[in-house]
Amino acid sequence: MPSSGSTQETFYAVGLEVSKRTPLSGQHRFDAVVVGAGYAGVSAALTFAEAGMSVIVLEKDRVASGASGRNGGILLLSEGTHLADPEQSSGVDDTLGAAAQELFQLMEEHKIDADARRGSLRLAITSGQAKQLAKAARSAGETTSGRSYLDQDALREHIRSDRYVGGLHERDNIALNPHRLLEGLASLAERRGAVIAEDSEVVEVQTSSDSIVVRTAAGEVKARRMVVAAGAGTGKVLSWRRQQLMVGFSQIAVTDPIPADLLESVLPSWVATSEIATFSRYFRRLPDNRLLFGISTLFESISGDRLEERIRRELRDTFPALGDVLFNYSWEGEVASTIEETPLLDRIAPSAVVTSSNGVLPSWNTGRIAAQATDPRYASYDVVRSHRHRSWPPLGLPDTLVRRGAKVFFALKDRI
C-alpha cells in the first residue's frame, strides 16, 4: 500500500511551534474553571476573562488534541438546513453566522493565520438528496443566502467524479486549519488573563450550591463557576452524563504533493466539499497541491494499517485517478454528539454547566452561552422554567364546554 510519513500527528500541526503549557499542581482558587481546551472550552474561558474573572482551563492532553483539532476544518454556516421548520433553520443559521463573523474578526485583529478560504459544496449521491439540496437553495434564495444548486453538469466545474449527481454551493462557508485557529484563540485567551494547564486530566468533580472543586492527579481547583466542555471525554469527567452523548468516529488522510495537472483533472476548484450522507466523505485541496480526504464511519473506530486502507478504498472509489497517491499523514478523530445532533447545554449545579456540540461554529457558540449561563441567577430561571404547564382547554375540548363543567365541579367541591 503506498504510504509515507507519520500517523501520529495531524497535518494541521505541521510547522506550528507552541510551548508546552505547565500541568496543574497544588491547590488554587479561581473565579471559574473550564474542563477541556477545545473550541467550546476556549470560548468559555475567553468569555470569563472578558468579564474580568480569573479562569483556568484544565486539559487532559494539549490544546486542540481532541475533535476540535482533528476535524475536516469545514465551518458550515447553514447547519440548520436539515431542520424541517424554516424559521427554526433560519434562527440556527443566523446564530452560526454571528459566531463565524466573530471568529473572522478575531483572526483579523490578532493576526491568526489559519489558511481560511470561503466557499463549500454539499454533495448529493442520490436523486433524493439532490432534490433536498435543490429545495434548500430555493427556500433560502440565492441572492440573500449565497446558496445555489448545481446539477451534475454544473458541478463538474468544481468536482469531476461520477459519484455525485448534484450539489449545493454555499458561498459563505469556510475551510481552514482548525488546529492553528484554536491555538491562536487559546493564546488570545491567555493574553486576556486565562490560565491553561495541559496534561491535567480531571479525576474528580464536586459541586454544591455555592462551591465547586475540581481535582486532577496532581492538583485541585476551587471555583465559583464551572463549564465542562470535554467533548468525547465528558462521560469520564461526569459519569452520570455518559448516556447523553454518543461518541462517533471520523478518519482523515492528507496526501503527499500531487502533480498539479493530475489534481486539477479531478478537483479544479478550491471549495471544500462534504457529502450529506450519514456515512459521508469530505475533501478539499490544501497548499502545495495536497489533498485532504476524510470519511465518517460514525459507529466504527479504525486503527493501524486498516485506517489508511479504508480511506484509500473510498478515495479510489471517489477519484480513481488518485487511488495510488501517497498519504503523508492519517489520523482518526472522535466526536461527541447528542442523538438529535443538536448542542448539549445542561446545568449540573447552580453555577456549573456542561456543553458539547458537533462542529467548530456550534462549539464556539455554545461555549460562550455556557459561560454566561453559569451566572447563578440563571439557575433560578431554570427552576421556574422546569415546571411544565398543561394546555387550555384540556384534552382539546371546546372552551365553553370545559368552563361549564368546571363551574359545576368546583361549586360542588367547595361545599364538600
Side-chain angles (χ1 to χ4, degrees), residues 1 31 53 79 96 145 147 151 205 266 284 340 370 399:
M1 177 183 66
D31 293 326
M53 302 173 67
E79 288 285 4
L96 296 184
S145 70
R147 301 179 201 168
D151 62 21
V205 172
V266 298
R284 59 189 176 96
E340 299 82 9
D399 182 88

Side-chain angles (χ1 to χ4, degrees), residues 391-403 405:
S391 60
W392 177 271
L395 304 177
L397 296 171
D399 182 88
T400 302
L401 178 63
V402 173
R403 288 177 183 276

Side-chain angles (χ1 to χ4, degrees), residues 16 42 46 50 101-114 180-193 364 368:
L16 185 61
V42 170
L46 191 59
E50 290 171 344
Q101 185 176 357
E102 180 190 11
L103 287 179
F104 257 95
Q105 185 176 347
L106 291 174
M107 281 190 281
E108 184 176 333
E109 288 181 0
H110 302 282
K111 297 180 172 54
I112 302 173
D113 182 9
R180 285 182 175 271
L181 174 56
L182 182 53
E183 186 57 58
L185 294 169
S187 297
L188 171 61
E190 289 174 312
R191 292 196 298 273
R192 292 187 175 174
W364 181 260
R368 289 281 201 192

Side-chain angles (χ1 to χ4, degrees), residues 285-315:
R285 292 179 61 161
L286 298 176
D288 300 326
N289 288 327
R290 299 177 188 269
L291 175 71
L292 180 149
F293 189 90
I295 62 176
S296 175
T297 56
L298 195 57
F299 304 109
E300 178 186 7
S301 176
I302 305 175
S303 59
D305 291 341
R306 292 179 56 244
L307 175 62
E308 289 196 2
E309 290 172 358
R310 178 63 174 273
I311 298 173
R312 184 173 302 284
R313 187 169 76 231
E314 301 204 24
L315 171 61

